């Protein structure tokens, strides 16, 4: 991976709604003149085998980001 920074979001709740967290991250990236690369990582901290209440499920979401460079040579 190229040098850069990582955005990490802690998402709590059912995984069926995790797209809202991804959209919030992408909005942040655009608002702060950043760009993201791959991979995008979802790290599950809890699961149905550990916790039956989906509202208590925790997922860390990681995006690798760099400043957006408009200068192309």
């Amino acid at each position: 991976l190229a040098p850069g920074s990582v955005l990490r979001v802690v998402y709590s709740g059912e995984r069926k709604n995790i797209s809202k967290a991804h959209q919030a991250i992408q909005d942040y990236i655009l608002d702060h003149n950043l760009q993201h690369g791959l991979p995008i990582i979802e790290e599950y901290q809890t699961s149905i085998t550990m916790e039956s209440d989906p509202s208590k499920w925790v997922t860390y979401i990681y995006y690798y980001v760099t400043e957006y460079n408009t200068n192309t040579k």
Side-chain angles (χ1 to χ4, degrees):
L1 295 172
S5 299
V6 174
L7 293 177
R8 183 181 89 160
V9 169
V10 179
Y11 172 77
S12 298
E14 292 185 66
R15 297 213 176 90
K16 71 178 183 179
N17 297 319
I18 203 165
S19 63
K20 294 176 184 179
H22 283 279
Q23 187 60 55
I25 296 167
Q26 292 171 15
D27 291 345
Y28 178 92
I29 288 169
L30 288 174
D31 290 346
H32 290 86
N33 200 32
L34 301 171
Q35 59 188 7
H36 73 83
L38 298 176
I40 297 168
I41 299 169
E42 292 182 4
E43 182 181 15
Y44 307 114
Q45 300 299 303
T46 52
S47 69
I48 195 166
T49 58
M50 297 168 60
E51 174 59 61
S52 61
D53 181 355
S55 69
K56 296 180 181 178
W57 294 353
V58 175
T59 304
Y60 296 158
I61 304 171
Y62 300 93
Y63 276 67
Y64 291 92
V65 295
T66 57
E67 288 186 32
Y68 184 73
N69 186 355
T70 58
N71 298 327
T72 56
K73 295 183 183 181

